[in-house]
Amino acid sequence: MKQSRSPEVALWFTSEQYREADLLTFELNRLGIAVFRHDFDYSELSFHAKEQELFNGTDRAKAIIVFYSKDFEKKVYYENERDSLIDFYKEHRNIEIILLRCDRASAPIKLSTVYDLSNQPDKRTGSAIRMMADEISARFIDSLEESLKIDKMINYQLTSLVGQAWWEKFDQKGQLTIGRNKLNFELHWGKFKKNQIYAENDTPSIDQIALARGFTSIKQIVNARNLDFKERLVSLKPNDIVVMRNIYGFYAAVQILCLVPINKEKPELGERLKIRYYINPEGSDDFSDRKMIHSVSIKGYRSCQDVQLNDLGSLVVFIGQNGSGKTNIFKLFNMMSSMLKDHRLAVHIAENGGADNHLYGGVKTTKKINIDLLLSLSNVDYYGYKCELKYTDHDKLVFTNEEIGVPRNDQNMIDWIKIENQDSLYETGLVGEAHRSRDKSIKSRTAENIENILGDIRVYHFNDTSRCSPFHTSCDFNDNIYLKSDGSNLAAVLLRLKNDDSDRYDNICYHIHQIIPSFDQFVFLKQKEYLLLEWKSANLDKSFGASSTSDGTLRTFALITLLNLPLNELPPILFIDEPELGFYYDGIDLIGSMITSLSVDKQIFLATQSPLLIDSFSIDDILLFSNKNNETRVKVLNSETYKEFLDDGELPSQLWMCNILDVIP
């Protein structure tokens, strides 16, 4: 069998660029590029920073990426690497060397491919690295596809995790293998009739297969495990997608792009199949890159008589005085989560003051609430959701209209389809539509994706540290899958991390120690199936429980843990309310950095009144809330409007406190 080796790159960097190297490694791996680094073994390859071993394995590399900086220039132990880089460049022109400038250091060689991070503010570095990874991946994947077009072999092995390929003679006992090691998928397909083929789960590596009905692209598949995996054989035609699970529990998706003769004049030579594929390396069944709320329109909800939030980015910071309406946006999405995840809108309304309390100015002023959302997956497919809730007797709300926006093929546009609620008008019809049948239509798949995106939203609010709060009570030992919104299972989550992910647990303790120098480590008190969290002082041989701990310290424990959890344990969209409470100014700066870093992968909505915290972010990420005549108003800020002040060294907090943000239109 011919082996088509995967596109791979090597990374050279100093410890000062560790975060940037981590981001680039993650992005390249996500796009199917295998990475090996001189600091540790990231894949099955090794690449050690020793003079004799520096270039081991580079015969498999298509490029070397050098994070070039002043630190790289001045540190003695990188001298061998600098000299070797020059020698290697002269002797191995067939391997591309890509320079990534981290500051104004001058490179020792002139290269055609240079990416410049030196003019990127820290908060924007993630976006720049993501773009760079996309460009590198596109170049490698294109070259891989071109090489397969002219290859006459029947059998192939593609070790990259994502890409496109031509598969010749697939219907003549040919085999295509994608992935490697535990991410291995052997494809052996056949042909039914003209323009229709079939896939089976009869190869040693594949456990189950399913046709992804109702999806037009792989990135639309948010929850693959809900597909029907009962069939041994599925029939496919162009644009169809088959999802496979291998014997190790990993998921891969393959889309049929086209089916054409190898030679139109010689049909006996067989046909060529073009596919697009993606293997999820984290064991997840979610193939979308990122789920985001793109825009929000709210009418008649609490203080939001008419609020429009458009073109929302990965980090959205709400600032404004008390009572301006910031928290009401958070409450709206908390309501949406209860409505979709728990299917308990009526209970949520009753527990939060009744319908009259949710209407702008009460029922005498407003009779209905209108919500209109635009959601996106991977910045490719857009989904819409809108509903109208009307006041009715017994202080309740009922659905009088509900629609979903279905994405059009190859367009960033949607078509609206009405949902016919076959259940109670007091609850959403979206959930019923999402679970209507196994034979999914595009309408049902869209409803399912909207339910997954909005239903998984969590609003984190660690303000309640009173004697009756969850911080002072024990929690179930087994309740440790993810951190709850109120921090009630913090002890169980921390203990699981300590046992299963000790490096991450130690990192959490280290960051807490940075903010609270007296903190040493956590102590877990087990009482049968329950846990109680205490902590040990670095200066005293004594443990402290919640009753002997300040409110700010308890909030620090919960927030630092939240911001350092594995990405797969966090929802795609997080709402964090007033994270600065109880933090000293050094701690606020650290929290701001963590939030900015996390926003590279998750969409974060943040409400704050801390001038110090907003200085951690770009003014373009900030929305200014105010209340005029009991009505919430939102002002979009941008750096161009305040360029004169920012160029003079003024900080966003200074512009806010001096009322300049509000005065300048």
Side-chain angles (χ1 to χ4, degrees), residues 28 94 107 155 178 183 249 347 413 416 453 461 536 557 573 607:
L28 289 172
N94 60 317
N155 297 327
I178 57 176
L183 298 174
V347 173
M413 301 180 67
W416 290 99
I453 296 170
H461 198 310
K536 187 177 179 182
F557 293 164
I573 303 169

Side-chain angles (χ1 to χ4, degrees), residues 209-252:
I209 61 173
L211 178 62
R213 294 183 175 88
F215 294 116
T216 57
S217 74
I218 292 175
K219 290 185 177 181
Q220 292 176 354
I221 303 175
V222 174
N223 197 345
R225 70 188 61 199
N226 286 345
L227 300 175
D228 186 1
F229 284 96
K230 294 180 180 179
E231 301 296 328
R232 186 187 68 83
L233 179 149
V234 297
S235 174
L236 302 164
K237 58 184 183 299
N239 295 321
D240 281 350
I241 302 170
V242 60
V243 174
M244 299 165 286
R245 188 172 65 197
N246 72 6
I247 57 176
Y248 298 104
F250 290 93
Y251 288 87

Side-chain angles (χ1 to χ4, degrees), residues 492-623:
V493 170
L494 283 169
L495 182 58
R496 174 178 58 78
L497 291 175
K498 182 179 182 180
N499 293 333
D500 300 340
D501 194 349
S502 58
D503 288 342
R504 189 178 300 274
Y505 172 80
D506 291 341
N507 192 47
I508 290 171
C509 292
Y510 170 75
H511 287 310
I512 292 174
H513 178 73
Q514 283 185 292
I515 299 171
I516 307 169
S518 60
F519 174 84
D520 181 31
Q521 58 181 297
F522 287 109
V523 177
F524 303 94
L525 302 181
K526 297 182 181 180
Q527 302 171 348
K528 295 184 179 180
E529 295 298 319
Y530 292 90
L531 279 177
L532 198 62
L533 185 67
E534 293 190 352
W535 62 280
K536 187 177 179 182
S537 171
N539 305 315
L540 298 172
D541 187 18
K542 177 179 173 57
S543 297
F544 298 91
S547 60
S548 305
T549 305
S550 69
D551 294 350
T553 297
L554 293 174
R555 296 185 188 111
T556 300
F557 293 164
L559 188 61
I560 294 294
T561 301
L562 171 68
L563 297 178
N564 287 277
L565 286 173
L567 293 177
N568 61 353
E569 294 181 18
L570 292 169
I573 303 169
L574 294 82
F575 286 76
I576 305 176
D577 196 10
E578 296 185 325
E580 73 275 7
L581 291 180
F583 279 82
Y584 192 52
Y585 68 90
D586 284 341
I588 290 178
D589 184 61
L590 178 61
I591 290 299
S593 298
M594 288 181 177
I595 290 171
T596 301
S597 178
L598 186 58
S599 69
V600 173
D601 300 290
K602 305 289 183 179
Q603 187 180 30
I604 299 178
F605 288 82
L606 179 74
T608 181
Q609 296 186 70
S610 168
L612 288 173
L613 184 56
I614 70 170
D615 286 338
S616 299
F617 313 119
S618 166
I619 200 168
D620 297 295
D621 298 327
I622 298 173
L623 298 179

Side-chain angles (χ1 to χ4, degrees), residues 58 60 69 216 342 351 446 450 494 575 578 582 609 643:
T58 51
R60 294 187 61 185
S69 63
T216 57
D342 302 323
E351 290 178 346
T446 300
I450 292 172
L494 283 169
F575 286 76
E578 296 185 325
Q609 296 186 70
K643 187 176 187 303

Side-chain angles (χ1 to χ4, degrees), residues 97-112:
I97 297 179
I98 299 172
L99 200 67
L100 198 159
R101 292 184 61 200
C102 301
D103 50 35
R104 295 302 178 183
S106 299
I109 53 178
K110 291 184 179 180
L111 300 173
S112 58

Side-chain angles (χ1 to χ4, degrees), residues 59-109:
D59 60 318
R60 294 187 61 185
K62 292 183 180 291
I64 298 174
I65 300 177
V66 182
F67 287 75
Y68 206 84
S69 63
K70 292 179 180 178
D71 296 304
F72 195 85
E73 279 187 336
K74 69 186 181 182
K75 290 191 175 181
V76 175
Y77 46 86
Y78 287 106
E79 182 177 351
N80 289 337
E81 287 196 22
R82 292 195 300 274
D83 295 340
S84 299
L85 174 63
I86 298 172
D87 294 339
F88 189 78
Y89 174 69
K90 293 176 180 177
E91 297 175 11
H92 299 81
R93 298 296 180 109
N94 60 317
I95 296 180
E96 184 178 8
I97 297 179
I98 299 172
L99 200 67
L100 198 159
R101 292 184 61 200
C102 301
D103 50 35
R104 295 302 178 183
S106 299
I109 53 178

